[in-house]
Amino acid sequence: MILSLPGLAALSALLFTWMQVSQAGRELRIIEQGQITSRYNAAINNLGSSSVDVRLGGIYALERLMRDSARDHPTVVSVLAAFLRQHAPVQATKAAVADVPRPDADIEAVMNVLAERRADLDQGLVLDLSKTDLSQWTPARLHDETGIQLEQAILTGSNVIGTGLTNANLRDAWLDEADLRKASLSGADLRDAHLSGSKLSEAGLDQANLRDAWLDKADLREASLEFADLRGAILEGADLREASMYGAHAAGAFFCSETGCADTTATDLIGADLTGADFESASLIKTSLCGISDTGSDTEGIATLVPKPGKWECATLTRANLLRANLSNLRLTRINLSGANLAYANLSGADLSNANLTGANLTGTDLSKANLTGARLTGARHKGARLNGTKGLPEGFR
């Protein structure tokens, strides 16, 4: 079909108009990008000012820029994180919680801008706040900071209730008396972390690495520590009531000291590895050391680690220190107490049928009315043990 001359003229005019609009759009984007660059440079200059008011202006200018330009969002986040690392570094000496002041105005402003940003625009950026002092931080809102880097950071006395810190790096971080109630710390690296007196009730710590962490006097009521690594952790005086430590690795952990023991009332220790753990003088009569596995079959991320429900399991207490501990009337069938120190412990009425007590120290232990049917007692020392009414004793054991 051949167009008429008027039709060709109209088509040419339309094409010319489209080209003009496209060119204008490109020029507009170039102008906008130039404006953004100018705003960015001005904000960066303000960040370097000696005046806190000017620095605050730079911080909020960057926040506005971050909202206006998704493209520049990760860059602004990186700049603000670097500002914190430079201007709020961890000091050599750490003050007591009561003496820790609130952050300076510009530091707190940066922390809040980062907390309130749209984390979905980070484009894979991992927020790095390692070795920064964030003491007494109480953000109005905090996003799920999966994988955040907080190694050796100080969060003493901070309030981060319900925060998502899954897989966060908090190794050697200071979180003394921090409020982490209902926080998600599953898979977090908390090795050597300081959590003394912290509030962790109902927190999710499944598969977290808490090796050699300080959790003394921490509130861990109803916390989930399933399959967590607690080897060598300090738990003396901690409140573990109704916490779940199913399948946890707590070999060498300290549950007791001269100042007191952790409260393990209704704590689930079934399947936990407590090899060499210190329970001296602890009362474990309301603690679940053995039982039927019915935990974790629907637990996200660890289903493959959980045995089939209905299996009888016990905590492993090989070489554990249970000196003067109270284990009376507990059902401890098939529990492994080989090499454990049970001297002067109260095991009266306990069901120890088929238990492994090989090499255990039973000196002065109260085993009256206990059931030792089928228990392995090779090499067990039992001088002065109370055996009144004890069932299943092998010949010559008395």
Side-chain angles (χ1 to χ4, degrees):
M1 180 178 179
I2 300 175
L3 293 173
S4 63
L5 287 175
L8 284 171
L11 180 61
S12 297
L14 181 63
L15 180 61
F16 180 73
T17 302
W18 176 79
M19 291 175 65
Q20 281 188 317
V21 170
S22 297
Q23 179 64 25
R26 283 194 294 271
E27 290 176 355
L28 181 61
R29 285 193 293 273
I30 291 171
I31 292 171
E32 288 177 345
Q33 191 58 47
Q35 291 175 341
I36 288 173
T37 301
S38 297
R39 289 166 58 191
Y40 175 80
N41 290 335
I44 292 298
N45 287 333
N46 287 346
L47 279 185
S49 172
S50 59
S51 167
V52 66
D53 293 331
V54 175
R55 290 199 300 275
L56 283 170
I59 291 163
Y60 293 124
L62 285 172
E63 180 184 30
R64 180 61 184 269
L65 181 62
M66 185 167 56
R67 291 177 179 174
D68 292 346
S69 174
R71 173 184 174 183
D72 296 289
H73 176 102
T75 301
V76 174
V77 172
S78 295
V79 168
L80 292 176
F83 180 88
L84 280 181
R85 293 195 301 271
Q86 181 179 357
H87 293 273
V90 170
Q91 302 299 319
T93 57
K94 300 175 179 64
V97 177
D99 300 326
V100 175
R102 288 192 62 81
D104 292 337
D106 54 341
I107 300 302
E108 190 163 29
V110 172
M111 292 192 297
N112 288 331
V113 167
L114 290 174
E116 295 172 11
R117 77 191 191 284
R118 284 189 57 183
D120 59 311
L121 297 177
D122 286 353
Q123 300 178 29
L125 175 73
V126 175
L127 189 59
D128 186 359
L129 298 176
S130 303
K131 299 181 181 179
T132 53
D133 189 344
L134 309 175
S135 303
Q136 303 288 3
W137 185 25
T138 306
R141 179 177 59 182
L142 194 60
H143 296 284
D144 185 352
E145 296 291 352
T146 299
I148 188 172
Q149 297 293 310
L150 286 163
E151 184 173 358
Q152 296 182 40
I154 297 180
L155 286 148
T156 301
S158 296
N159 184 342
V160 284
I161 297 173
T163 303
L165 294 169
T166 303
N167 297 321
N169 182 1
L170 286 152
R171 185 171 184 178
D172 200 21
W174 290 72
L175 293 143
D176 299 298
E177 298 189 31
D179 195 338
L180 290 153
R181 286 174 291 173
K182 297 184 179 180
S184 176
L185 289 152
S186 299
D189 187 350
L190 286 152
R191 285 175 289 174
D192 300 297
H194 300 258
L195 291 148
S196 301
S198 59
K199 298 176 183 177
L200 285 156
S201 57
E202 299 183 65
L205 289 152
D206 297 330
Q207 291 184 292
N209 190 342
L210 288 150
R211 190 166 186 174
D212 299 317
W214 294 77
L215 288 154
D216 49 305
K217 298 182 181 178
D219 182 357
L220 286 152
R221 286 174 296 171
E222 299 184 63
S224 182
L225 292 144
E226 296 184 3
F227 298 100
D229 189 345
L230 288 152
R231 287 175 288 179
I234 309 295
L235 288 153
E236 57 197 48
D239 191 343
L240 285 158
R241 284 177 289 172
E242 299 186 63
S244 176
M245 294 177 64
Y246 179 87
H249 301 283
F254 296 87
F255 288 82
C256 295
S257 71
E258 293 179 356
T259 57
C261 290
D263 187 342
T264 55
T265 302
T267 304
D268 183 358
L269 291 169
I270 297 171
D273 181 359
L274 299 166
T275 302
D278 190 347
F279 286 98
E280 183 173 338
S281 301
S283 177
L284 298 169
I285 55 175
K286 295 182 179 179
T287 305
S288 296
L289 292 169
C290 295
I292 302 295
S293 305
D294 59 0
T295 306
S297 57
D298 297 320
T299 304
E300 183 178 353
I302 60 172
T304 56
L305 300 176
V306 181
K308 294 179 180 179
K311 178 183 176 183
W312 177 263
E313 281 192 286
C314 288
T316 299
L317 285 155
T318 304
R319 299 189 303 281
N321 180 15
L322 290 152
L323 177 69
R324 292 188 293 274
N326 188 353
L327 296 142
S328 59
N329 299 309
L330 290 178
R331 186 183 175 192
L332 302 171
T333 303
R334 294 201 298 272
I335 195 168
N336 189 348
L337 287 159
S338 58
N341 182 8
L342 288 154
Y344 305 103
N346 184 356
L347 284 159
S348 60
D351 184 355
L352 290 156
S353 56
N354 299 304
N356 186 355
L357 289 155
T358 304
N361 182 2
L362 298 169
T363 303
T365 304
D366 187 354
L367 289 162
S368 55
K369 297 183 180 180
N371 183 4
L372 289 165
T373 304
R376 285 179 278 172
L377 292 156
T378 304
R381 291 166 287 164
H382 60 283
K383 183 178 180 180
R386 296 174 61 182
L387 302 170
N388 300 327
T390 306
K391 301 176 183 177
L393 285 175
E395 291 185 13
F397 189 79
R398 292 184 185 274

